Amino acid sequence: MAWITRFLTAVAFLALGVIFSPETFGSKSGGPHSLGLYPFIKLAHLLSFSTAFGAALWVTFIGGIIMFKNLPRHQFGNLQSKMFPAYFSMVGVCCAISVAAFGYLHPWKSATTPEKYQLGFLLSAFAFNLSNLFVFSPMTIEMMKQRHKVEREANIGDEIGWSKNQEAAKTNPKLAAMNKKFGMIHGLSSLANIMAFGSLAMHSWYLADNDGRKSTRKRWCDVGGLSFRQILVAVLIPSILKRLSYWLVGWIGSRQGAQSFWTPGAVGTRILFVDDPSFHAAPGGQEAFGRGPWGGGALSIS
């Protein structure tokens, strides 16, 4: 994968050069684009963006889930350890090309406010993918290999799902500590991946609304009656904070055992975390039982 890293670095420097000095590459601030070069650069931007968006959609929400539910856990982990570096490298290269092409087509000096915001979204997607490629993904893979070694000593890991891991962790402090550390690192990697996908999704919304026209009549690039500022404040940011709060409560519950916590989304509802999914509350009052993301159960008692 060394050649991909070198190519990614070269494209990244090219993207930065286009952003800070577009005239060097033939882009005229406030002037007409080269009729011969403009269609090819626009095509490069669209193809690179669509490839990054499609790959992120498939790996994050479809392919990874299907593999986890159908492959033995160690086999799934080993496959992901080979796939993730290629995935983050490809998406990173596509994001860098998209940034360079968009910066060339919309030079900063003459760009409208919505176009500057879109450049920011593309740069954010690129940065989050780089953080996964060079920081979180290598740490996750290394911790996974260490945990696989401990699990093989306990004769687990060839099953599908987390059931045997959770059972063994109750009597194996070393495995429990590894599960905790792996969960934290993998959570950061997943968050960076979701943030990159969200940034690309915001750009897809812009492309759908722009419809090939340079719209200067909208200060915040209104889409569907909502501005980007309204989307961030009213939809995206609360959704991310809510997901993080639920993840934090679930993580604390899985670490502390059977204790009561207050859910961030429903104040006044007590949450009792239990390890036995067959556990039921005493009759009386409303209750709802479900399995948590860490393998334990969460019983809501109002």
Side-chain angles (χ1 to χ4, degrees):
M1 303 298 291
W3 70 270
I4 294 182
T5 303
R6 291 193 292 267
F7 180 72
L8 177 61
T9 303
V11 176
F13 276 104
L14 174 64
L16 292 176
V18 171
I19 293 173
F20 291 105
S21 183
E23 294 82 0
T24 304
F25 298 88
S27 179
K28 305 298 183 182
S29 299
H33 293 287
S34 172
L35 296 179
L37 195 57
Y38 176 77
F40 295 101
I41 295 179
K42 188 173 182 179
L43 178 63
H45 169 251
L46 291 176
L47 289 179
S48 298
F49 165 76
S50 59
T51 300
F53 184 80
L57 177 66
W58 174 262
V59 172
T60 304
F61 300 104
I62 302 175
I65 296 176
I66 293 176
M67 287 188 289
F68 178 76
K69 290 184 177 181
N70 292 276
L71 289 177
R73 192 157 46 79
H74 282 187
Q75 184 177 346
F76 167 76
N78 292 330
L79 177 61
Q80 294 290 74
S81 69
K82 301 298 182 182
M83 186 182 72
F84 275 162
Y87 161 67
F88 290 127
S89 296
M90 184 191 70
V91 175
V93 169
C94 289
C95 287
I97 295 175
S98 295
V99 169
F102 194 83
Y104 181 92
L105 296 173
H106 307 281
W108 187 266
K109 294 180 181 180
S110 59
T112 63
T113 299
E115 291 166 352
K116 292 179 179 179
Y117 269 84
Q118 292 310 309
L119 187 58
F121 284 127
L122 291 175
L123 283 171
S124 297
F126 179 60
F128 283 121
N129 270 283
L130 285 186
S131 68
N132 253 326
L133 178 62
F134 295 113
V135 181
F136 299 129
S137 183
M139 293 173 62
T140 303
I141 293 173
E142 180 62 28
M143 179 53 59
M144 179 203 70
K145 292 180 179 179
Q146 295 179 16
R147 188 173 66 169
H148 281 187
K149 183 178 179 180
V150 175
E151 287 178 331
R152 282 193 292 269
E153 294 174 355
N155 295 320
I156 60 175
D158 293 329
E159 73 285 350
I160 298 176
W162 290 97
S163 57
K164 290 187 177 181
N165 174 280
Q166 294 297 316
E167 290 295 326
K170 295 178 182 179
T171 57
N172 191 331
K174 184 178 181 179
L175 180 59
M178 285 189 170
N179 285 345
K180 179 179 178 180
K181 187 175 182 180
F182 177 83
M184 294 177 64
I185 298 175
H186 186 265
L188 291 174
S189 178
S190 299
L191 179 61
N193 186 54
I194 288 294
M195 293 298 292
F197 177 79
S199 298
L200 293 174
M202 295 298 287
H203 189 60
S204 70
W205 201 339
Y206 163 83
L207 293 178
D209 181 70
N210 194 49
D211 193 27
R213 296 166 297 174
K214 190 172 183 179
S215 176
T216 58
R217 67 185 183 276
K218 304 175 183 180
R219 182 178 180 184
W220 294 103
C221 191
D222 295 339
V223 180
L226 293 176
S227 68
F228 275 124
R229 173 182 285 181
Q230 291 171 330
I231 294 170
L232 288 173
V233 174
V235 180
L236 187 59
I237 294 178
S239 177
I240 293 175
L241 293 177
K242 185 176 181 180
R243 183 174 293 274
L244 284 175
S245 61
Y246 281 141
W247 176 84
L248 180 61
V249 171
W251 177 75
I252 295 176
S254 66
R255 302 279 73 82
Q256 299 297 326
Q259 294 185 11
S260 295
F261 296 89
W262 297 101
T263 62
V267 176
T269 301
R270 283 176 33 178
I271 293 294
L272 179 65
F273 291 94
V274 295
D275 292 325
D276 186 2
S278 63
F279 177 82
H280 293 281
Q286 298 179 350
E287 62 181 76
F289 180 81
R291 292 190 61 81
W294 297 95
L299 179 66
S300 173
I301 307 176
S302 58

